[in-house]
């Protein structure tokens, strides 16, 4: 792999706080190595800003290995940038060329208000989980782990849905700012396992109601969420969610 | 005198007896008792959820935007449990024995035995929560091997076991939040513990969004704040992982146990340049199938696939035939360093060794062909089929490697090098997980307790969940049973006022320095001192130098650090400054600890103390103790020793040959 250095223009969204209107600002960075990660490039810019007595750019990040879900960023019009199945922290600068201009924005959704610059508040996701994204089992009540064999295909499918990192890229990618992919991943994960069965109906009702209450939009099946998802959560989960919801509605005793 | 409060009786009955006799709190009283939990990783989330279920009033704090982000989420390989599902000779005793031996006989027998006893319950609990562990076609749970063991006892969910376990604990926590038993404080950082009448009675936390300080009361405080590997600047920890909560507790009277015991993980992606902000682990599970080698020729310039088999040195298989590539982490790391220092390293930096899957790919390919009963199959087809199998096992790790390095590990061997990963040291706790401050507990990686001088792979997840799900719910009752007579204390109490003032003074002092050097620069300088002189190999001279250099660095930091922005706003640089200031103080103590321990054990390798074959040379007659440091004043600590009495296991020279 050939390494190279590049000079870039960054067009970054700056917003002091939730109330501030915000706007783009341009910055130049020099001698960026193609081996750097995208966030390391922002680290370089921030060091430069601090040196010059300016306010560094706020962005969320933590594990920097693509699993905690804390990093976000809309990069050149795409959540987490242009690489497929990738988070911003794992995007590396070899994806860019010398002289390029990169536009960096926060997630944009009514349910994700901006905290500062590129940082948004995603606590709506936690509240959706609170509404039913769990199996009600207190510590100490469990039977032996192997007492209930689970079909491997079902276990694998549950795992594939459970890989969601809760980053919010699906919402950011959706023109309606819908949280259906996030929600459906959790509903699928738990509905595919026998342990999740007893609460299957109430879970899907309550989680959908909470999603609506948080102000996320409706799903119109454009598939933008699936394309942007760093963990390649399948849109088939949304179909399963709809099926679960329909089944729960038809069989509800009321 | 340090009293670990280890229950009497035979080792395998201690925990049972303890549970049968510890004090209980009745449900009506639990409602009146408030518990503060700091940190939401495996230990914190599991403790908070379990205590909420029991009926305590719980407040939980994390610095991230959601409790689901805690760094337990990044654990890849797996979690150990003595289930013996594989019928390969595993048992509670074996897991206990392997852990003590792996820790090079510097862990407490009673704690480790308890850990092994509850390990099976953890798997059961997680399965019940819907954790999608890997399964066999028959629907039963699958296992694999990890370093330092000869059985298959590791449960896993592809390379994302930590994520799945944490999401399980997080969901249990969110359920308690929904039920109103737990109150969650996101983007809050604990900056001080409040002590009243020699008992921990609350914390001062800072809201990281608006910078406001808050007072929170608790009848007990649980620190579940993880490890301090970021003292080295570069580590596999998350960027935000820090020692601040534990360090504040330490300065308020909690002893710090074995601070120099650091785990350097053998298989990480090597450093690529000065811009590097963190290092990424390649799971130990890869050593099930990957073979580690370097060229036999020093300064080799050929590419890996141009070097013929007979010119490769599979040095772990050569030195440790019984365990081969699956020796414990400290042994594998030192062996890699030894080869690179001797001039056999690979890659541009020459600070790397190969982790090669070519053999595994062929082996799996042949098995696939064998299943189909086919003959005369081309080499290409065997390799193609083998790659599919390897992809299913390790696909996400291979993808991660390729994204970072730009190289395809299915075609070329991975280049790997050891990196700081875990800290066995931490706040000293007794059998009940209580620190030397009454009512102040430390759980998970934040305590020192179970891994001695070296942790075995897949044991961190086990310990975090054991502490949170199955230990603290019992031991905290034994303390809180006597607290039912004490009403909640108002946060207007003088101790809250003065402690908050301490915190605000310190923040104002930091902001008033207005120097010229960024926080990041200081952190990098500290990291370099620590890695060079208190890293994989240490010696007395280097440690003495390091102590002087760190003291100097501290002076410079407090006179020349530059922090932009203001106090009452979202200001990550200010948050980081406070953490780095604490890391600097911790770094000094780590060097002092490493200097006093005139032996080598586990991850603590003093160059002066090694066998003729370069293995760690313990000194059991003089150093079979936990060093527990009491903070006295700046640069001054007093050493207390907890002698380790081995009643069941006879310590020997660790042998993986």
């Amino acid at each position: 792999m050939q390494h190279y250095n590049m000079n870039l223009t960054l067009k970054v969204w700056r917003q002091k706080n939730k109330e501030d209107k915000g706007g783009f600002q341009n910055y130049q960075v020099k001698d960026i190595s193609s081996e750097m990660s995208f966030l390391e490039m922002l680290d370089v810019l921030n060091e430069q800003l601090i040196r010059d007595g300016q306010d560094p750019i706020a962005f969320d990040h933590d594990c920097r290995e693509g699993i905690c879900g804390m990093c976000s960023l809309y990069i050149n019009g795409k959540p987490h940038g242009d690489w497929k199945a990738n988070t911003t922290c794992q995007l590396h600068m070899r994806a860019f060329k010398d002289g390029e201009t990169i536009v960096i924005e926060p997630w944009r959704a009514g349910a994700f208000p901006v905290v500062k610059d590129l940082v948004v508040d995603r606590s709506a996701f936690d509240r959706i989980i609170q509404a039913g994204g769990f199996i009600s089992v207190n510590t100490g009540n469990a039977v032996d782990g192997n007492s209930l064999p689970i079909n491997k295909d079902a276990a694998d499918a549950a795992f594939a849905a459970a890989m969601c990192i809760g980053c919010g890229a699906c919402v950011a990618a959706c023109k309606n700012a819908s949280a259906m992919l996030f929600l459906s991943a959790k509903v699928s994960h738990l509905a595919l396992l026998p342990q999740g069965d007893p609460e299957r109906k109430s879970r899907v009702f309550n989680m959908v109601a909470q999603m609506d209450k948080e102000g996320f939009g409706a799903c119109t099946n454009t598939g933008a969420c699936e394309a942007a998802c760093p963990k390649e959560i399948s849109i088939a989960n949304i179909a399963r969610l709809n099926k679960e919801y329909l089944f729960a509605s038809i069989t509800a005793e009321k | 005198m340090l009293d670990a409060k280890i229950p009497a009786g035979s080792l395998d009955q201690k925990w049972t007896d303890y549970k049968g006799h510890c004090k209980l709190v009745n449900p009506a009283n639990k409602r009146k008792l408030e518990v503060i939990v700091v940190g939401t990783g495996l230990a914190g989330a599991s403790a908070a959820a379990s205590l909420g279920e029991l009926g305590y009033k719980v407040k939980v704090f994390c610095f991230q935007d959601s409790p689901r982000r805690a760094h337990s989420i990044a654990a890849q390989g797996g979690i150990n449990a003595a289930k013996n599902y594989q019928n390969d000779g595993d048992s509670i005793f074996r897991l206990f024995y392997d852990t003590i031996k792996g820790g090079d006989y510097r862990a407490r027998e009673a704690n480790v035995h308890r850990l092994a006893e509850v390990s099976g319950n953890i798997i059961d609990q997680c399965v019940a929560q819907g954790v999608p562990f890997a399964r066999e076609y028959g629907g039963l749970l699958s296992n694999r091997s990890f370093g330092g063991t000869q059985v298959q006892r590791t449960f896993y969910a592809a390379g994302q076991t930590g994520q799945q376990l944490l999401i399980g604990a997080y969901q249990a926590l969110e359920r308690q939040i929904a039920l109103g038993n737990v109150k969650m404080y996101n983007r809050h950082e604990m900056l001080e513990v409040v002590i009243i009448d020699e008992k921990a009675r609350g914390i001062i936390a800072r809201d990281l969004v608006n910078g406001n300080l808050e007072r929170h009361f608790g009848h007990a405080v649980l620190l579940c704040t993880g490890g301090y590997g970021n003292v080295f600047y570069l580590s596999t920890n998350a960027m935000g992982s820090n020692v601040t909560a534990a360090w504040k507790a330490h300065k308020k009277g909690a002893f710090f146990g074995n601070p120099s015991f650091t785990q350097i993980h053998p298989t990480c992606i090597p450093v690529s340049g000065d811009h590097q902000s963190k290092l990424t682990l390649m799971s130990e599970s890869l050593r099930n199938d990957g073979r580690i080698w370097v060229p036999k020729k020093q300064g080799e310039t050929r590419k890996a696939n141009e070097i013929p088999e007979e010119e490769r040195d599979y040095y772990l298989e050569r030195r440790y035939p019984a365990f081969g590539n699956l020796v414990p982490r400290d042994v594998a790391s030192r062996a890699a360093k030894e080869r690179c220092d001797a001039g056999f390293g690979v890659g541009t930096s020459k600070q790397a060794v190969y982790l090669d899957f070519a053999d595994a790919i062929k082996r799996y390919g042949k098995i696939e062909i064998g299943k189909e009963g086919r003959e005369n199959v081309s080499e290409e087809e065997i390799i193609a089929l083998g790659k599919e199998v390897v992809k299913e096992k390790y696909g996400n790790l291979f993808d991660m490697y390729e994204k970072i390095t730009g190289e395809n590990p299915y075609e070329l061997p991975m280049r790997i090098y050891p990196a700081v990963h875990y800290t066995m040291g931490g706040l000293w706790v007794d059998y009940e997980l209580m620190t030397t401050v009454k009512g102040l507990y430390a759980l998970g990686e934040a305590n020192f307790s179970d891994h001695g001088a070296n942790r075995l792979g897949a044991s961190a997840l086990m310990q975090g969940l054991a502490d949170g799900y199955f230990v603290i719910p019992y031991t905290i009752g034994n303390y809180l049973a006597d607290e039912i007579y004490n009403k909640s204390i108002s946060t207007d109490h003088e101790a809250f006022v003065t402690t908050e003032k301490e915190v605000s003074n310190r923040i104002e002092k930091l902001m008033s320095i207005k120097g010229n050097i960024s926080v990041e620069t200081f952190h990098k300088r500290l990291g370099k001192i620590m890695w060079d002189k208190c890293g994989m190999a240490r010696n007395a001279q280097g440690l003495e130098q390091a102590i002087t250099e760190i003291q100097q660095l501290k002076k410079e930091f407090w006179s020349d650090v530059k922090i932009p922005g203001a106090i009452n706003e979202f200001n990550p640089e200010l948050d980081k400054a406070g953490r780095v200031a604490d890391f600097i103080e911790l770094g000094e103590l780590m060097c002092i600890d490493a200097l006093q321990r005139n032996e080598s054990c586990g991850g603590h390798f003093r160059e002066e103390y090694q066998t003729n074959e370069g293995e760690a040379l313990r000194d059991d007659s003089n150093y079979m103790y936990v060093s527990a440091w009491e903070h006295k004043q700046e640069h001054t600590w007093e050493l207390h020793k907890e002698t380790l009495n081995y009643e069941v296991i006879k310590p020997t020279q660790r042998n993986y040959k």
Side-chain angles (χ1 to χ4, degrees):
Chain A
M1 169 90 11
Q2 277 300 319
H3 306 306
Y4 55 96
N5 282 1
M6 63 196 100
N7 299 334
L8 300 163
T9 303
L10 305 174
K11 199 172 164 190
V12 184
W13 185 263
R14 302 301 309 260
Q15 183 173 339
K16 228 177 150 32
N17 51 43
K18 196 173 155 184
E19 286 74 35
D20 185 28
K21 197 161 154 257
F24 283 104
Q25 213 157 324
N26 287 345
Y27 301 95
Q28 307 294 328
V29 283
K30 292 199 166 60
D31 296 326
I32 297 298
S33 158
S34 61
E35 288 189 277
M36 283 183 194
S37 72
F38 193 83
L39 297 182
E40 284 166 352
M41 182 274 294
L42 286 182
D43 291 343
V44 171
L45 172 59
N46 273 347
E47 282 292 296
Q48 190 179 307
L49 292 175
I50 293 167
R51 225 177 17 248
D52 298 346
Q54 295 179 53
D55 193 23
I57 298 158
F59 59 91
D60 263 333
H61 64 105
D62 200 23
C63 79
R64 294 203 179 187
E65 40 189 284
I67 193 75
C68 76
M70 189 133 170
C71 67
S72 51
L73 306 190
Y74 227 71
I75 300 164
N76 286 342
K78 286 187 177 166
H80 293 302
D82 197 31
W83 283 4
K84 197 173 149 25
N86 198 52
T87 56
T88 293
C89 65
Q90 296 295 82
L91 178 65
H92 277 65
M93 293 310 292
R94 62 178 185 277
F96 301 94
K97 292 188 293 287
D98 187 30
E100 230 179 290
T101 297
I102 307 174
V103 183
I104 310 171
E105 298 166 79
W107 282 175
R108 298 213 187 268
F112 289 165
V114 171
V115 174
K116 183 181 178 182
D117 298 338
L118 305 170
V119 174
V120 299
D121 178 355
R122 288 168 287 194
S123 53
F125 271 11
D126 288 334
R127 290 188 291 274
I128 291 176
I129 297 297
Q130 282 161 29
F134 48 74
I135 288 168
S136 297
V137 52
N138 283 0
T139 305
N141 286 317
V143 295
D144 185 86
N146 259 351
S147 61
L148 184 61
I150 300 176
N151 174 292
K152 186 176 189 307
D153 293 336
D156 289 350
F159 173 71
M163 287 200 336
C164 169
I165 57 175
C167 64
C170 49
V171 175
C174 178
K175 65 186 167 71
N176 305 325
S178 170
M180 284 287 269
L181 192 65
F182 168 77
L183 180 94
S184 69
K186 189 46 62 194
V187 166
S188 290
H189 162 207
L190 300 176
L192 283 161
L193 296 171
Q195 289 87 355
D197 198 54
E199 293 167 287
R200 206 163 163 173
K201 293 181 194 173
S202 59
R203 176 181 305 120
V204 70
F205 278 142
N206 295 338
M207 290 180 78
V208 168
Q210 187 64 35
M211 173 179 70
D212 292 343
K213 196 172 142 193
E214 296 289 346
F216 291 102
C219 173
T220 47
N221 275 314
T222 64
C225 52
E226 182 185 62
C229 176
K231 297 297 156 184
E232 299 184 295
I233 303 289
S234 166
I235 198 169
N237 288 304
I238 298 183
R240 188 179 292 108
L241 167 70
N242 289 331
K243 190 179 88 184
E244 290 287 320
Y245 194 86
L246 184 66
F247 176 72
S249 306
I250 297 170
T251 56
E253 291 170 19
K254 260 185 217 168
Chain B
M1 187 59 200
L2 272 179
D3 179 9
K5 294 198 262 177
I6 297 166
S10 69
L11 186 63
D12 57 355
Q13 286 305 308
K14 285 179 195 292
W15 181 233
T16 309
D17 285 351
Y18 178 91
K19 286 191 291 182
H21 296 97
C22 64
K23 292 175 195 161
L24 299 174
V25 181
N26 88 11
N29 283 326
K30 285 199 184 99
R31 290 197 284 272
K32 295 178 203 152
L33 292 167
E34 299 179 52
V35 180
I36 285 174
V37 179
V38 186
T40 58
L42 287 179
S46 61
S50 302
L51 296 176
E53 289 161 9
L54 286 172
Y56 293 110
K57 277 164 73 178
V58 183
K59 284 181 174 180
V60 185
F61 297 80
C62 74
F63 69 78
Q64 300 91 340
D65 73 325
S66 163
R68 67 180 292 156
R69 314 277 187 223
H71 198 53
S72 302
I73 205 150
Q76 298 170 352
I79 176 166
N80 288 327
K83 282 287 201 183
N84 195 29
Y85 283 161
Q86 304 303 323
N87 193 31
D88 58 357
D90 201 8
S91 64
I92 288 171
F93 184 83
R94 290 261 188 205
L95 174 53
F96 156 73
Y97 177 83
D98 287 345
T99 307
I100 292 276
K101 178 188 171 191
D104 217 356
Y105 307 97
R106 289 294 174 267
R108 197 189 279 157
E109 271 190 338
N111 285 50
V112 176
H113 199 276
R114 175 177 65 191
L115 177 68
E117 283 174 59
V118 303
S119 65
N121 301 107
I122 297 171
I123 301 304
D124 302 338
Q125 180 65 29
C126 294
V127 168
Q129 288 172 342
V131 170
F133 283 119
R135 288 179 182 268
E136 306 292 351
Y137 282 101
L140 301 179
L141 295 160
S142 178
N143 290 118
R144 59 187 175 199
S145 281
F146 259 61
T149 67
Q150 289 172 311
V151 295
Q152 290 193 308
R153 65 161 72 99
T154 305
F155 295 78
Y156 63 100
Q160 284 129 286
T161 318
Q163 179 199 25
Q164 295 308 317
L165 296 175
L166 184 64
I167 295 301
Y170 157 78
Q171 288 172 188
L173 171 64
E174 293 296 334
R175 173 172 162 248
Q176 291 306 308
I177 293 170
L179 291 169
N181 299 325
V182 175
K183 189 159 167 47
M184 184 70 222
Y185 296 82
N186 296 340
R187 293 198 197 270
H188 275 65
E189 180 159 38
M190 174 194 140
L191 290 180
E192 201 51 87
V193 52
V194 178
I195 294 178
I196 300 173
D197 296 333
E198 298 186 341
K199 288 178 180 170
R201 288 301 191 196
I203 63 168
I204 304 296
R206 184 162 171 268
D207 180 334
L208 299 180
V209 175
N210 58 27
N212 293 342
L213 295 181
E214 297 173 3
R215 306 170 192 171
H216 294 276
F217 168 81
H219 287 91
V221 176
L222 275 49
L223 301 183
C224 312
T225 49
Y228 48 84
N230 272 345
V231 68
F232 291 90
Y233 185 72
L234 285 182
S235 80
T236 65
N237 286 6
M239 301 302 286
S241 299
N242 67 81
V243 77
T244 289
W247 196 250
K248 300 304 183 199
H250 172 56
K251 291 179 85 172
K252 280 268 153 67
F255 293 2
F256 212 103
N258 297 332
S260 69
F261 286 178
T262 313
Q263 175 160 87
I264 316 282
H265 197 292
T267 55
C268 300
I269 300 176
V271 176
S272 67
D274 288 338
H275 56 264
Q276 194 105 21
S277 59
K278 78 152 277 160
L279 296 170
T280 302
L281 176 75
M282 286 287 107
S283 166
E284 181 157 317
S285 61
L286 294 173
R287 286 197 274 146
N288 273 292
D289 284 314
R291 297 177 71 195
I292 293 177
W293 62 276
V294 291
K296 280 188 179 162
K297 200 173 97 195
Q298 277 174 326
E300 177 65 75
T301 50
R302 285 174 294 179
K303 290 194 181 115
N305 46 14
E306 292 166 0
I307 301 172
E309 192 61 23
E310 61 275 11
E311 293 179 42
R312 300 174 177 193
D313 176 14
Y314 295 90
Y315 58 87
L316 288 177
E317 296 169 28
R318 169 169 60 79
R319 287 178 66 179
Y320 308 100
F323 283 69
N325 290 295
L326 281 173
V327 290
R329 292 172 175 177
D330 56 331
V331 176
S333 289
R334 269 199 298 282
K337 181 180 184 326
E338 187 276 331
R339 283 291 84 186
C340 293
D341 289 352
F344 297 95
V346 301
T348 40
S349 65
K350 299 289 173 200
Q351 291 290 303
V353 300
Y354 289 126
L355 177 60
D356 196 334
F357 294 87
D359 274 2
I361 288 171
K362 275 190 209 146
R363 176 162 47 86
Y364 284 123
K366 282 182 190 150
I367 292 171
E368 291 302 301
I369 300 290
K371 281 184 195 167
E372 296 165 15
R374 291 159 63 197
E375 281 168 30
N376 298 328
V377 179
S378 71
E379 183 88 359
E380 286 75 39
E381 196 177 345
I382 292 174
I383 289 175
L385 286 167
K387 279 179 187 165
E388 285 304 311
V389 178
V390 168
K391 186 173 183 178
E392 167 152 2
K393 283 179 172 260
Y394 310 113
N396 72 315
L397 298 169
F398 277 48
D399 290 349
M400 201 193 299
Y401 181 86
E402 185 168 4
K403 274 174 198 157
I404 293 170
T405 63
E407 289 176 2
N408 179 355
Y410 293 100
E411 304 296 335
L412 296 168
M414 288 183 178
R415 284 173 298 108
I416 50 143
Y417 196 70
V420 174
H421 180 54
Y422 185 89
T423 48
M424 283 75 70
L427 293 175
W428 184 90
V429 290
D430 61 21
Y431 187 74
E432 300 184 304
L433 305 181
M434 198 192 283
T435 67
T436 48
V437 175
K438 282 196 196 93
L440 182 66
Y441 294 80
L443 280 65
E445 191 179 349
N447 73 30
F448 88 103
S449 82
D450 294 355
H451 307 295
N454 173 59
R455 178 176 65 76
L456 289 182
S459 283
L461 303 184
M462 172 173 66
Q463 188 221 337
L465 290 179
D467 286 0
Y469 283 137
F470 296 109
V471 179
I472 199 72
Y474 292 91
T475 61
I476 202 169
N478 203 35
Y479 172 74
L480 291 177
D482 293 328
E483 292 298 319
I484 56 173
Y485 310 104
N486 297 321
K487 289 215 177 74
S488 297
I489 298 170
S490 157
T491 53
D492 295 330
H493 186 285
E494 195 195 329
F496 276 97
V497 178
T498 51
T499 312
E500 186 191 291
K501 189 72 194 152
E502 274 172 47
V503 176
S504 62
N505 285 347
R506 188 167 189 263
I507 292 172
E508 277 158 26
K509 193 171 168 198
L510 279 168
M511 290 303 291
S512 69
I513 297 168
K514 298 191 193 311
N516 298 302
I517 297 173
S518 72
V519 176
E520 202 70 5
T521 308
F522 280 107
H523 196 179
K524 280 188 183 175
R525 282 172 58 189
L526 173 68
K528 183 157 173 34
I529 298 171
M530 295 302 293
W531 178 246
D532 288 347
K533 300 187 169 115
C534 196
M536 248 188 296
R538 300 139 178 206
N539 61 57
Q541 194 194 358
L543 289 166
E544 278 161 8
Q545 279 170 8
I547 291 168
T548 316
E549 288 171 29
I550 294 169
Q551 289 178 351
Q552 180 56 36
L553 189 72
K554 184 177 175 183
K555 279 203 195 92
E556 262 186 74
F557 178 91
W558 284 98
S559 58
D560 204 15
V561 73
K562 180 172 188 169
I563 305 167
I567 293 172
N568 283 102
E569 64 176 14
F570 189 82
N571 188 348
E573 283 296 310
L574 174 57
D575 311 340
K576 203 160 68 183
R579 296 170 191 166
V580 171
D582 293 332
F583 275 136
I584 292 174
E585 295 181 10
L586 165 74
E588 183 179 358
L589 179 62
M590 288 171 72
C591 294
I592 291 172
D593 185 51
L595 186 60
Q596 67 83 31
R597 194 171 277 278
N598 290 314
E599 64 161 353
S600 294
C601 55
H604 169 66
F605 192 74
R606 281 279 301 272
E607 288 167 342
E608 304 95 313
Y609 309 99
Q610 50 181 306
T611 66
N612 292 333
E613 292 158 315
E615 305 294 341
L617 186 61
R618 289 200 327 266
D619 178 357
D620 287 348
S621 48
N622 291 306
Y623 293 95
M624 196 171 262
Y625 60 76
V626 175
S627 50
W629 296 91
E630 180 183 6
H631 183 260
K632 289 293 193 187
Q633 58 189 38
E634 192 180 11
H635 308 311
T636 313
W637 284 268
E638 185 184 338
L639 175 62
H640 301 264
K641 297 175 182 174
E642 180 202 338
T643 306
L644 295 166
N645 298 312
Y646 285 94
E647 293 171 10
V648 173
I649 289 183
K650 297 259 171 301
T652 53
Q653 157 93 35
R654 264 192 323 171
N655 181 3
Y656 292 99
K657 294 179 196 292

